[in-house]
Amino acid sequence: MESLISLLFMISGSVALQQDVQAKLGADVTLQCQITTDERISVLKWSRADLNTDGYVYFYRNKRSYENYQHPSFHGRVKLRDPEMKDGDVSLILNNVTFNDTGMYECHVAVRNPVRSKRVHTEISHFINLTVTALQLDVQAKLGDDVSLQCQISRDEIISVLKWSRADLNTDGYIYFYRNKRSYENYQHPSFHGRVKLRDPEMKDGDVSLILKNVTFNDTGMYECYVAVRMPVRSKRGHTEISHFINLTVTGESLPCPQIAPLAHFKNT
């Protein structure tokens, strides 16, 4: 995803600020944090309180970053917007956000003040509450048509589970269920038997789109495409879960019932 969601904070003194940010699943988000330009940064810590026992989101001290202090889920996914932190910009870019990235982030900066200042050292914190929301598409289809419900993940991810479902039907089965390289028709809701197939059975390039045939008014509803993936060997992230939502509306008129002539008509002919 190319979209960047930005939030600007200007911090001075030791005031802690907080702001709410929303990002779409799979997008890149910029968590902005800035200090006054005449302060020299000695320590920068981006963290989340619920993850601190396992490492930081980003850690910098004495003119270098420390990846070995980083939480495993952020390896290879975070970077400073400006590696030189010019003009006090210590904003962080978080790539390809997942639902697990939802949480309260703290930007903590320890600075040495310039010689002319009476303050030798200052610590500054502000907080960003990040919420990751699911992708949703609205799709319309004519009664009786075949419709493609599109869903795609990045091409370098290995699919372990794929579930197409509708919340109002989940107690009776899935629309489509795939796990460990095979589909399971016995997990399927009866109304979809023989009416659904993957657009690409091999799911090349991460295409897990579903074709629903001969749609009826009963097919109207909110569909979820849920994918559990294993990351490639070169990635330090082991597992990711992704959901997309499609709101399908079936339009058109039902075919009128044929009119039956009254019995009197047949008697008179």
Side-chain angles (χ1 to χ4, degrees):
M1 297 283 182
E2 296 180 356
S3 61
L4 290 176
I5 302 174
S6 297
L7 173 71
L8 179 60
F9 268 114
M10 298 295 295
I11 301 179
S12 61
S14 57
V15 178
L17 301 176
Q18 178 179 326
Q19 186 73 14
D20 295 324
V21 176
Q22 284 195 346
K24 288 291 187 183
L25 181 71
D28 299 341
V29 61
T30 300
L31 307 177
Q32 294 203 23
C33 183
Q34 189 146 352
I35 62 172
T36 57
T37 59
D38 58 350
E39 295 171 323
R40 290 173 292 175
I41 297 167
S42 55
V43 176
L44 168 63
K45 295 185 292 187
W46 277 95
S47 61
R48 251 176 55 195
D50 58 320
L51 301 177
N52 271 355
T53 56
D54 299 315
Y56 294 97
V57 179
Y58 182 88
F59 187 89
Y60 168 97
R61 184 174 61 196
N62 297 329
K63 300 183 179 181
R64 59 161 292 195
S65 61
Y66 291 80
E67 288 191 3
N68 56 314
Y69 289 0
Q70 195 173 47
H71 188 278
S73 68
F74 296 102
H75 286 170
R77 293 204 301 134
V78 297
K79 64 180 180 180
L80 292 179
R81 183 168 63 179
D82 181 354
E84 298 180 5
M85 296 183 281
K86 291 192 297 287
D87 299 326
D89 184 1
V90 291
S91 304
L92 194 75
I93 295 176
L94 174 57
N95 297 126
N96 190 25
V97 296
T98 72
F99 291 123
N100 292 331
D101 293 326
T102 292
M104 183 69 72
Y105 290 76
E106 179 182 1
C107 170
H108 176 93
V109 189
V111 297
R112 293 190 301 274
N113 291 288
V115 176
R116 66 179 180 275
S117 173
K118 294 181 180 179
R119 291 179 298 158
V120 177
H121 186 270
T122 302
E123 294 189 3
I124 302 165
S125 287
H126 82 259
F127 299 86
I128 296 176
N129 185 28
L130 174 64
T131 302
V132 179
T133 59
L135 297 174
Q136 180 177 321
L137 297 174
D138 292 322
V139 175
Q140 285 193 345
K142 289 287 187 182
L143 183 69
D145 282 353
D146 297 346
V147 61
S148 179
L149 306 178
Q150 297 195 37
C151 185
Q152 186 142 1
I153 62 172
S154 63
R155 61 189 302 170
D156 59 347
E157 295 171 324
I158 304 165
I159 298 167
S160 55
V161 176
L162 168 63
K163 294 186 292 188
W164 277 94
S165 61
R166 251 176 53 196
D168 57 320
L169 302 177
N170 271 356
T171 56
D172 298 317
Y174 295 98
I175 296 162
Y176 183 88
F177 186 91
Y178 168 98
R179 184 174 60 196
N180 297 331
K181 300 183 179 181
R182 59 160 293 194
S183 60
Y184 291 80
E185 289 190 4
N186 55 314
Y187 289 0
Q188 196 173 48
H189 188 279
S191 68
F192 295 99
H193 285 170
R195 292 204 302 133
V196 297
K197 65 177 182 179
L198 292 179
R199 183 165 63 182
D200 182 353
E202 297 181 5
M203 297 183 281
K204 291 192 296 288
D205 298 327
D207 184 1
V208 291
S209 304
L210 195 75
I211 294 176
L212 174 57
K213 300 177 182 178
N214 190 24
V215 295
T216 71
F217 291 122
N218 291 332
D219 292 326
T220 292
M222 183 68 73
Y223 291 74
E224 179 181 3
C225 169
Y226 168 93
V227 190
V229 298
R230 296 190 305 274
M231 306 305 294
V233 176
R234 67 179 180 275
S235 173
K236 295 181 180 179
R237 289 183 295 154
H239 186 269
T240 302
E241 297 180 359
I242 302 165
S243 284
H244 297 261
F245 294 87
I246 296 176
N247 185 28
L248 174 63
T249 303
V250 179
T251 62
E253 297 181 357
S254 301
L255 293 175
C257 295
Q259 294 185 350
I260 301 176
L263 291 176
H265 172 78
F266 293 101
K267 290 179 180 178
N268 295 330
T269 56

mmCIF file of all heavy atoms in Angstrom, residues 225-250:
data_model
loop_
_atom_site.group_PDB
_atom_site.id
_atom_site.type_symbol
_atom_site.label_atom_id
_atom_site.label_comp_id
_atom_site.label_asym_id
_atom_site.label_seq_id
_atom_site.Cartn_x
_atom_site.Cartn_y
_atom_site.Cartn_z
ATOM 1 N N CYS A 225 -13.121 -12.120 3.882
ATOM 2 C CA CYS A 225 -12.023 -12.927 3.344
ATOM 3 C C CYS A 225 -10.919 -12.923 4.402
ATOM 4 O O CYS A 225 -10.256 -11.908 4.621
ATOM 5 C CB CYS A 225 -11.526 -12.318 2.034
ATOM 6 S SG CYS A 225 -9.977 -13.016 1.417
ATOM 7 N N TYR A 226 -10.742 -14.054 5.062
ATOM 8 C CA TYR A 226 -9.755 -14.172 6.143
ATOM 9 C C TYR A 226 -8.618 -15.067 5.669
ATOM 10 O O TYR A 226 -8.849 -16.178 5.184
ATOM 11 C CB TYR A 226 -10.413 -14.765 7.388
ATOM 12 C CG TYR A 226 -9.436 -15.187 8.467
ATOM 13 C CD1 TYR A 226 -9.083 -14.317 9.497
ATOM 14 C CD2 TYR A 226 -8.862 -16.452 8.448
ATOM 15 C CE1 TYR A 226 -8.184 -14.703 10.477
ATOM 16 C CE2 TYR A 226 -7.963 -16.847 9.426
ATOM 17 C CZ TYR A 226 -7.627 -15.969 10.437
ATOM 18 O OH TYR A 226 -6.730 -16.356 11.398
ATOM 19 N N VAL A 227 -7.390 -14.571 5.804
ATOM 20 C CA VAL A 227 -6.221 -15.320 5.358
ATOM 21 C C VAL A 227 -5.194 -15.374 6.484
ATOM 22 O O VAL A 227 -4.829 -14.342 7.050
ATOM 23 C CB VAL A 227 -5.564 -14.677 4.115
ATOM 24 C CG1 VAL A 227 -4.517 -15.615 3.529
ATOM 25 C CG2 VAL A 227 -6.603 -14.316 3.067
ATOM 26 N N ALA A 228 -4.748 -16.575 6.813
ATOM 27 C CA ALA A 228 -3.615 -16.752 7.723
ATOM 28 C C ALA A 228 -2.422 -17.167 6.868
ATOM 29 O O ALA A 228 -2.514 -18.116 6.080
ATOM 30 C CB ALA A 228 -3.916 -17.814 8.771
ATOM 31 N N VAL A 229 -1.328 -16.436 6.999
ATOM 32 C CA VAL A 229 -0.171 -16.681 6.136
ATOM 33 C C VAL A 229 1.078 -16.924 6.962
ATOM 34 O O VAL A 229 1.231 -16.413 8.067
ATOM 35 C CB VAL A 229 0.075 -15.498 5.167
ATOM 36 C CG1 VAL A 229 -1.101 -15.304 4.239
ATOM 37 C CG2 VAL A 229 0.372 -14.214 5.929
ATOM 38 N N ARG A 230 1.959 -17.736 6.399
ATOM 39 C CA ARG A 230 3.307 -17.900 6.937
ATOM 40 C C ARG A 230 4.229 -17.040 6.103
ATOM 41 O O ARG A 230 4.164 -17.044 4.873
ATOM 42 C CB ARG A 230 3.754 -19.364 6.875
ATOM 43 C CG ARG A 230 2.940 -20.300 7.730
ATOM 44 C CD ARG A 230 3.602 -21.675 7.794
ATOM 45 N NE ARG A 230 3.840 -22.227 6.461
ATOM 46 C CZ ARG A 230 2.949 -22.924 5.775
ATOM 47 N NH1 ARG A 230 1.749 -23.140 6.287
ATOM 48 N NH2 ARG A 230 3.233 -23.411 4.584
ATOM 49 N N MET A 231 5.097 -16.315 6.765
ATOM 50 C CA MET A 231 6.006 -15.437 6.050
ATOM 51 C C MET A 231 7.163 -16.241 5.462
ATOM 52 O O MET A 231 7.501 -17.318 5.962
ATOM 53 C CB MET A 231 6.545 -14.355 6.986
ATOM 54 C CG MET A 231 5.450 -13.568 7.693
ATOM 55 S SD MET A 231 4.253 -12.830 6.553
ATOM 56 C CE MET A 231 5.290 -11.643 5.723
ATOM 57 N N PRO A 232 7.778 -15.748 4.377
ATOM 58 C CA PRO A 232 8.910 -16.460 3.778
ATOM 59 C C PRO A 232 10.074 -16.575 4.752
ATOM 60 O O PRO A 232 10.164 -15.844 5.732
ATOM 61 C CB PRO A 232 9.275 -15.592 2.565
ATOM 62 C CG PRO A 232 8.663 -14.267 2.828
ATOM 63 C CD PRO A 232 7.449 -14.509 3.661
ATOM 64 N N VAL A 233 10.978 -17.496 4.451
ATOM 65 C CA VAL A 233 12.084 -17.801 5.363
ATOM 66 C C VAL A 233 12.913 -16.571 5.681
ATOM 67 O O VAL A 233 13.360 -16.376 6.807
ATOM 68 C CB VAL A 233 12.985 -18.900 4.750
ATOM 69 C CG1 VAL A 233 14.197 -19.150 5.639
ATOM 70 C CG2 VAL A 233 12.186 -20.175 4.554
ATOM 71 N N ARG A 234 13.092 -15.689 4.704
ATOM 72 C CA ARG A 234 13.950 -14.525 4.918
ATOM 73 C C ARG A 234 13.328 -13.496 5.858
ATOM 74 O O ARG A 234 13.996 -12.596 6.352
ATOM 75 C CB ARG A 234 14.269 -13.849 3.587
ATOM 76 C CG ARG A 234 13.069 -13.217 2.912
ATOM 77 C CD ARG A 234 13.464 -12.544 1.605
ATOM 78 N NE ARG A 234 12.341 -11.923 0.941
ATOM 79 C CZ ARG A 234 11.507 -12.549 0.135
ATOM 80 N NH1 ARG A 234 11.677 -13.846 -0.091
ATOM 81 N NH2 ARG A 234 10.509 -11.910 -0.440
ATOM 82 N N SER A 235 12.012 -13.623 6.101
ATOM 83 C CA SER A 235 11.337 -12.672 6.974
ATOM 84 C C SER A 235 11.481 -13.088 8.428
ATOM 85 O O SER A 235 11.491 -14.270 8.754
ATOM 86 C CB SER A 235 9.848 -12.585 6.611
ATOM 87 O OG SER A 235 9.155 -11.786 7.543
ATOM 88 N N LYS A 236 11.576 -12.095 9.309
ATOM 89 C CA LYS A 236 11.679 -12.373 10.736
ATOM 90 C C LYS A 236 10.306 -12.489 11.387
ATOM 91 O O LYS A 236 10.192 -12.823 12.553
ATOM 92 C CB LYS A 236 12.503 -11.274 11.421
ATOM 93 C CG LYS A 236 13.952 -11.256 10.952
ATOM 94 C CD LYS A 236 14.758 -10.174 11.646
ATOM 95 C CE LYS A 236 16.199 -10.174 11.173
ATOM 96 N NZ LYS A 236 17.002 -9.112 11.813
ATOM 97 N N ARG A 237 9.237 -12.174 10.637
ATOM 98 C CA ARG A 237 7.884 -12.360 11.162
ATOM 99 C C ARG A 237 7.409 -13.752 10.792
ATOM 100 O O ARG A 237 7.470 -14.158 9.641
ATOM 101 C CB ARG A 237 6.921 -11.327 10.567
ATOM 102 C CG ARG A 237 7.137 -9.919 11.082
ATOM 103 C CD ARG A 237 6.083 -9.004 10.496
ATOM 104 N NE ARG A 237 6.217 -8.897 9.055
ATOM 105 C CZ ARG A 237 5.216 -8.608 8.239
ATOM 106 N NH1 ARG A 237 4.005 -8.459 8.698
ATOM 107 N NH2 ARG A 237 5.430 -8.496 6.938
ATOM 108 N N GLY A 238 6.897 -14.497 11.750
ATOM 109 C CA GLY A 238 6.526 -15.874 11.480
ATOM 110 C C GLY A 238 5.140 -16.046 10.904
ATOM 111 O O GLY A 238 4.915 -16.894 10.056
ATOM 112 N N HIS A 239 4.178 -15.224 11.338
ATOM 113 C CA HIS A 239 2.786 -15.502 11.023
ATOM 114 C C HIS A 239 1.993 -14.195 11.005
ATOM 115 O O HIS A 239 2.229 -13.303 11.806
ATOM 116 C CB HIS A 239 2.224 -16.456 12.084
ATOM 117 C CG HIS A 239 0.847 -16.937 11.810
ATOM 118 N ND1 HIS A 239 -0.266 -16.291 12.280
ATOM 119 C CD2 HIS A 239 0.393 -18.002 11.110
ATOM 120 C CE1 HIS A 239 -1.355 -16.942 11.886
ATOM 121 N NE2 HIS A 239 -0.982 -17.976 11.177
ATOM 122 N N THR A 240 1.067 -14.078 10.070
ATOM 123 C CA THR A 240 0.228 -12.888 9.971
ATOM 124 C C THR A 240 -1.191 -13.311 9.636
ATOM 125 O O THR A 240 -1.402 -14.266 8.893
ATOM 126 C CB THR A 240 0.740 -11.927 8.873
ATOM 127 O OG1 THR A 240 2.078 -11.551 9.168
ATOM 128 C CG2 THR A 240 -0.112 -10.668 8.805
ATOM 129 N N GLU A 241 -2.167 -12.590 10.193
ATOM 130 C CA GLU A 241 -3.568 -12.814 9.863
ATOM 131 C C GLU A 241 -4.126 -11.552 9.214
ATOM 132 O O GLU A 241 -3.887 -10.443 9.679
ATOM 133 C CB GLU A 241 -4.364 -13.177 11.116
ATOM 134 C CG GLU A 241 -3.905 -14.487 11.744
ATOM 135 C CD GLU A 241 -4.692 -14.853 12.984
ATOM 136 O OE1 GLU A 241 -5.592 -14.079 13.360
ATOM 137 O OE2 GLU A 241 -4.422 -15.912 13.567
ATOM 138 N N ILE A 242 -4.868 -11.743 8.116
ATOM 139 C CA ILE A 242 -5.361 -10.632 7.310
ATOM 140 C C ILE A 242 -6.850 -10.834 7.055
ATOM 141 O O ILE A 242 -7.286 -11.948 6.767
ATOM 142 C CB ILE A 242 -4.616 -10.559 5.958
ATOM 143 C CG1 ILE A 242 -3.103 -10.416 6.188
ATOM 144 C CG2 ILE A 242 -5.140 -9.422 5.093
ATOM 145 C CD1 ILE A 242 -2.274 -10.700 4.952
ATOM 146 N N SER A 243 -7.634 -9.755 7.154
ATOM 147 C CA SER A 243 -9.056 -9.827 6.826
ATOM 148 C C SER A 243 -9.440 -8.684 5.899
ATOM 149 O O SER A 243 -8.981 -7.552 6.075
ATOM 150 C CB SER A 243 -9.925 -9.760 8.085
ATOM 151 O OG SER A 243 -9.919 -10.984 8.782
ATOM 152 N N HIS A 244 -10.268 -9.005 4.897
ATOM 153 C CA HIS A 244 -10.882 -8.008 4.033
ATOM 154 C C HIS A 244 -12.391 -8.238 4.072
ATOM 155 O O HIS A 244 -12.842 -9.377 4.215
ATOM 156 C CB HIS A 244 -10.396 -8.142 2.586
ATOM 157 C CG HIS A 244 -8.933 -7.897 2.417
ATOM 158 N ND1 HIS A 244 -8.411 -6.709 1.988
ATOM 159 C CD2 HIS A 244 -7.865 -8.701 2.625
ATOM 160 C CE1 HIS A 244 -7.097 -6.786 1.929
ATOM 161 N NE2 HIS A 244 -6.739 -7.988 2.318
ATOM 162 N N PHE A 245 -13.154 -7.166 3.911
ATOM 163 C CA PHE A 245 -14.605 -7.273 3.962
ATOM 164 C C PHE A 245 -15.211 -6.732 2.673
ATOM 165 O O PHE A 245 -14.783 -5.702 2.151
ATOM 166 C CB PHE A 245 -15.155 -6.511 5.170
ATOM 167 C CG PHE A 245 -14.741 -7.110 6.488
ATOM 168 C CD1 PHE A 245 -13.544 -6.754 7.081
ATOM 169 C CD2 PHE A 245 -15.541 -8.049 7.119
ATOM 170 C CE1 PHE A 245 -13.148 -7.308 8.282
ATOM 171 C CE2 PHE A 245 -15.160 -8.611 8.323
ATOM 172 C CZ PHE A 245 -13.957 -8.245 8.910
ATOM 173 N N ILE A 246 -16.217 -7.441 2.172
ATOM 174 C CA ILE A 246 -16.925 -7.029 0.960
ATOM 175 C C ILE A 246 -18.418 -7.024 1.258
ATOM 176 O O ILE A 246 -18.980 -8.050 1.673
ATOM 177 C CB ILE A 246 -16.625 -7.972 -0.219
ATOM 178 C CG1 ILE A 246 -15.136 -7.906 -0.579
ATOM 179 C CG2 ILE A 246 -17.482 -7.612 -1.431
ATOM 180 C CD1 ILE A 246 -14.724 -8.869 -1.658
ATOM 181 N N ASN A 247 -19.044 -5.871 1.046
ATOM 182 C CA ASN A 247 -20.480 -5.736 1.263
ATOM 183 C C ASN A 247 -21.181 -5.930 -0.083
ATOM 184 O O ASN A 247 -21.152 -5.049 -0.940
ATOM 185 C CB ASN A 247 -20.794 -4.361 1.848
ATOM 186 C CG ASN A 247 -22.252 -4.210 2.214
ATOM 187 O OD1 ASN A 247 -22.924 -5.188 2.532
ATOM 188 N ND2 ASN A 247 -22.755 -2.991 2.152
ATOM 189 N N LEU A 248 -21.774 -7.097 -0.272
ATOM 190 C CA LEU A 248 -22.416 -7.442 -1.542
ATOM 191 C C LEU A 248 -23.903 -7.121 -1.487
ATOM 192 O O LEU A 248 -24.601 -7.515 -0.548
ATOM 193 C CB LEU A 248 -22.227 -8.932 -1.847
ATOM 194 C CG LEU A 248 -22.972 -9.473 -3.077
ATOM 195 C CD1 LEU A 248 -22.475 -8.811 -4.357
ATOM 196 C CD2 LEU A 248 -22.833 -10.993 -3.167
ATOM 197 N N THR A 249 -24.374 -6.401 -2.509
ATOM 198 C CA THR A 249 -25.799 -6.113 -2.656
ATOM 199 C C THR A 249 -26.270 -6.683 -3.988
ATOM 200 O O THR A 249 -25.697 -6.368 -5.037
ATOM 201 C CB THR A 249 -26.070 -4.596 -2.627
ATOM 202 O OG1 THR A 249 -25.556 -4.050 -1.408
ATOM 203 C CG2 THR A 249 -27.564 -4.313 -2.717
ATOM 204 N N VAL A 250 -27.274 -7.525 -3.948
ATOM 205 C CA VAL A 250 -27.847 -8.105 -5.168
ATOM 206 C C VAL A 250 -29.072 -7.286 -5.545
ATOM 207 O O VAL A 250 -29.988 -7.103 -4.734
ATOM 208 C CB VAL A 250 -28.219 -9.583 -4.963
ATOM 209 C CG1 VAL A 250 -28.843 -10.156 -6.238
ATOM 210 C CG2 VAL A 250 -26.980 -10.388 -4.570
#
